[in-house]
Amino acid sequence: MLFTIIQADDTWALWGILAIWASISIFLEQKYKWASFLSGAIIALAGALILSNLKIIPTESPVYDAVWAYLVPLAIPLLLFQVNMKELFQESRKLLFIFLICAVGTVIGSTVGFLLLKDYISELAKIAAAIGASYVGGGVNFATVTAKFEPSSQMVSATVVADNMVMALLFAVYMFIPSMKFFRKHFKTPHIQEVEAGQNGESDRHTLAEKYWAKKEISLKDVAASIGTSFFLVVVSFKLAGWFGTIIPTGANVSIFQTLLHTILSEKYLLLSTLTFLVIYLFPSYFKNISGSQEIGTYFIYIFFVVIGVPASIPLIVEKAPLLILFVFIVGMSNLIVGLLLGKVFKIDLEHILLASNATVGGPTTASAMAIAKGWGSLIGPILVVGTLGYIIGNYIGFVLGYWYLTF
C-alpha cells in the first residue's frame, strides 16, 4: 500500500474530507463568480485530484466504494422527485438520438485508436473492446467485456488508471464548453439561456448557482419524506433487480430475448429510475409537496464529484499507462467530436449533445450530475433514463468489437 498521510482505512477522516470539500466547493460556487464559471463540480474534482497526488489521501478506499454503492443510488430518486413527466418524455426522445450518435463516435474512436496503436500496446484488441463497451455504457460493461476476453490483470489495472485520468479531463471539458463563446455562437442553448434568464438582472450581485439554489422553506417532515422515500425506492429496486437476475436465465445456451430481458430487468439503476418515475406518475401530489429533495440529492452528488477526482494518480499514470492514455483519449474525443459535428448538422441543442456524450463516456450518474451542476433541471430525469440504455447495448458492442479486433 502506498504511503499517504490519511490511510485508506481511516474512515472518519476520509468521510470528513469528502463532505467538507464538497461543502467548500458549493460555497465557493455560490459566493464567487470565478468559481461559478469553473463550477463547483470542477472545484470538487480538482481538489480531490490535488489531495491524492500530494499523497494526503489514498487513491483507493472502501469509503469511496461506499459513495458509489450508497450515496449515488440514494441521490437518484431524490433528484427525480420534482421531475415534470411531460418534459421527461419530450426530452428523452431528443436525447436518445444524440446518445446513439455519440455511441457511434465511441466505436469510431476505438477502431481508429486500435489501428494506430495495436503494434505498440500489448493485448490492445481485448482492451479496446472493453473501452468501447465502457464508453457506450459504463464500468459494468468494462468489467463484463474484460471477463469475456480475459486480458492480463496488469493491463486491466493500467487501463483503469488511464480511464480515470481521461474521464476527469473529459468531465472538465464538458463543464467548460457551455461557457465558451464559440459553442454558444454555433449551437442552440435553450437550457443555458433559461438558467441565465433566471437571474432577473441580478448578475452583478449573485452568481448563477446562488440564484438557482435560493433559500426555500424546508420542514423536518420534508427531510423525512425525502430520505425515507429514497431509501424505500432503492431497496425495492435493488432487491427486484437481484431477484430478476436470479430467475431469468443467462449464458451461452439461452436465447437472445432471454439475455436481453436479463440485462434489462437485472440492471438496478434502470429499475430504480423506472420505479421512481412510476411512483411519481401514480402519486403526483405526494411528491409535489416534498421540499428539499433536490438539495439533499445534489449534496450527495457533490461528494460523488470529489470521489471522481481521487483515482487520477499522475505518477501512476506516467509509470503504467502513457500510451493507454492516448488510446482512451482518442476514444473519448472521437465520441465528443462526432456528437458535436452531427449534432450541429441535425440542429441538436448543445446541452443535449454534452449530456449524451457524458452519459456514454461516464454513465448516467456523471451525466445527471452535470445537469444538476449546470442547473438544467428538466434534463436530469431524461438523461438518467437514456443513459441506462448504454448499459444494455454496451456489452454487445464490446463483444462485436473484440471478436473483430482479434482477427488482426
Side-chain angles (χ1 to χ4, degrees), residues 121-124 127 142 151-160 324:
I121 302 176
S122 64
E123 302 182 90
L124 186 57
I127 293 300
F142 179 86
S152 65
S153 59
Q154 293 86 349
M155 282 302 298
V156 172
S157 176
T159 304
V160 169
L324 276 172

Side-chain angles (χ1 to χ4, degrees), residues 14-91:
L14 286 175
W15 272 113
I17 286 176
L18 296 182
I20 292 167
W21 187 246
S23 301
I24 291 172
S25 301
I26 293 170
F27 173 81
L28 291 174
E29 181 185 38
Q30 296 194 23
K31 183 70 175 177
Y32 300 104
K33 289 192 176 294
W34 63 265
S36 181
F37 174 79
L38 287 175
S39 83
I42 294 298
I43 295 170
L45 190 152
L49 188 149
I50 292 169
L51 289 173
S52 64
N53 281 279
L54 290 178
K55 301 290 190 294
I56 295 172
I57 60 175
T59 56
E60 296 180 356
S61 169
V63 172
Y64 310 148
D65 297 336
V67 172
W68 281 92
Y70 302 108
L71 286 195
V72 172
L74 284 172
I76 290 173
L78 287 168
L79 294 165
L80 294 178
F81 287 166
Q82 304 302 318
V83 73
N84 183 307
M85 295 302 289
K86 184 178 179 181
E87 285 183 348
L88 171 70
F89 293 115
Q90 290 175 342
E91 300 291 355

Side-chain angles (χ1 to χ4, degrees), residues 88-111:
L88 171 70
F89 293 115
Q90 290 175 342
E91 300 291 355
S92 294
R93 290 198 300 269
K94 300 175 187 176
L95 279 166
L96 177 60
F97 179 59
I98 188 62
F99 179 90
L100 295 174
I101 288 175
C102 290
V104 171
T106 288
V107 173
I108 293 171
S110 177
T111 303

Side-chain angles (χ1 to χ4, degrees), residues 377-399:
S378 63
L379 298 180
I380 297 170
I383 197 57
L384 273 169
V385 174
V386 173
T388 53
L389 174 66
Y391 293 145
I392 299 169
I393 66 175
N395 289 344
Y396 300 103
I397 290 173
F399 292 156

Side-chain angles (χ1 to χ4, degrees), residues 27-288:
F27 173 81
L28 291 174
E29 181 185 38
Q30 296 194 23
K31 183 70 175 177
Y32 300 104
K33 289 192 176 294
W34 63 265
S36 181
F37 174 79
L38 287 175
S39 83
I42 294 298
I43 295 170
L45 190 152
L49 188 149
I50 292 169
L51 289 173
S52 64
N53 281 279
L54 290 178
K55 301 290 190 294
I56 295 172
I57 60 175
T59 56
E60 296 180 356
S61 169
V63 172
Y64 310 148
D65 297 336
V67 172
W68 281 92
Y70 302 108
L71 286 195
V72 172
L74 284 172
I76 290 173
L78 287 168
L79 294 165
L80 294 178
F81 287 166
Q82 304 302 318
V83 73
N84 183 307
M85 295 302 289
K86 184 178 179 181
E87 285 183 348
L88 171 70
F89 293 115
Q90 290 175 342
E91 300 291 355
S92 294
R93 290 198 300 269
K94 300 175 187 176
L95 279 166
L96 177 60
F97 179 59
I98 188 62
F99 179 90
L100 295 174
I101 288 175
C102 290
V104 171
T106 288
V107 173
I108 293 171
S110 177
T111 303
V112 170
F114 171 72
L115 294 175
L116 288 175
L117 299 172
K118 61 184 175 65
D119 296 328
Y120 305 98
I121 302 176
S122 64
E123 302 182 90
L124 186 57
K126 300 174 181 179
I127 293 300
I131 288 294
S134 178
Y135 276 33
V136 170
V140 64
N141 303 97
F142 179 86
T144 301
V145 176
T146 52
K148 173 69 175 178
F149 293 109
E150 299 182 337
S152 65
S153 59
Q154 293 86 349
M155 282 302 298
V156 172
S157 176
T159 304
V160 169
V161 171
D163 181 30
N164 286 329
M165 184 64 179
V166 173
M167 274 282 297
L169 175 62
L170 284 173
F171 193 77
V173 171
Y174 293 136
M175 297 298 289
F176 272 120
I177 284 178
S179 304
M180 298 174 68
K181 290 182 179 179
F182 174 84
F183 293 99
R184 298 284 293 270
K185 180 181 178 181
H186 292 90
F187 290 85
K188 295 185 296 180
T189 57
H191 298 277
I192 296 171
Q193 292 172 10
E194 181 183 354
V195 172
E196 291 176 344
Q199 295 181 93
N200 294 326
E202 299 183 24
S203 58
D204 290 336
R205 295 187 290 116
H206 301 285
T207 66
L208 285 173
E210 185 181 11
K211 184 65 180 177
Y212 182 80
W213 295 108
K215 287 185 178 181
K216 62 177 66 170
E217 190 175 302
I218 301 173
S219 69
L220 177 60
K221 187 173 71 173
D222 290 322
V223 175
S226 296
I227 295 177
T229 305
S230 184
F231 264 101
F232 172 77
L233 291 169
V234 170
V235 171
V236 173
S237 300
F238 282 23
K239 289 294 184 182
L240 279 176
W243 181 67
F244 283 128
T246 302
I247 65 167
I248 302 174
T250 186
N253 299 320
V254 301
S255 67
I256 295 176
F257 173 75
Q258 286 178 309
T259 301
L260 184 61
L261 193 64
H262 179 278
T263 303
I264 294 172
L265 293 180
S266 65
E267 173 43 56
K268 55 187 180 182
Y269 288 106
L270 179 59
L271 211 57
L272 175 59
S273 300
T274 304
L275 182 60
T276 302
F277 293 137
L278 179 62
V279 296
I280 291 171
Y281 178 78
L282 293 175
F283 308 102
S285 58
Y286 172 78
F287 291 98
K288 185 178 180 180

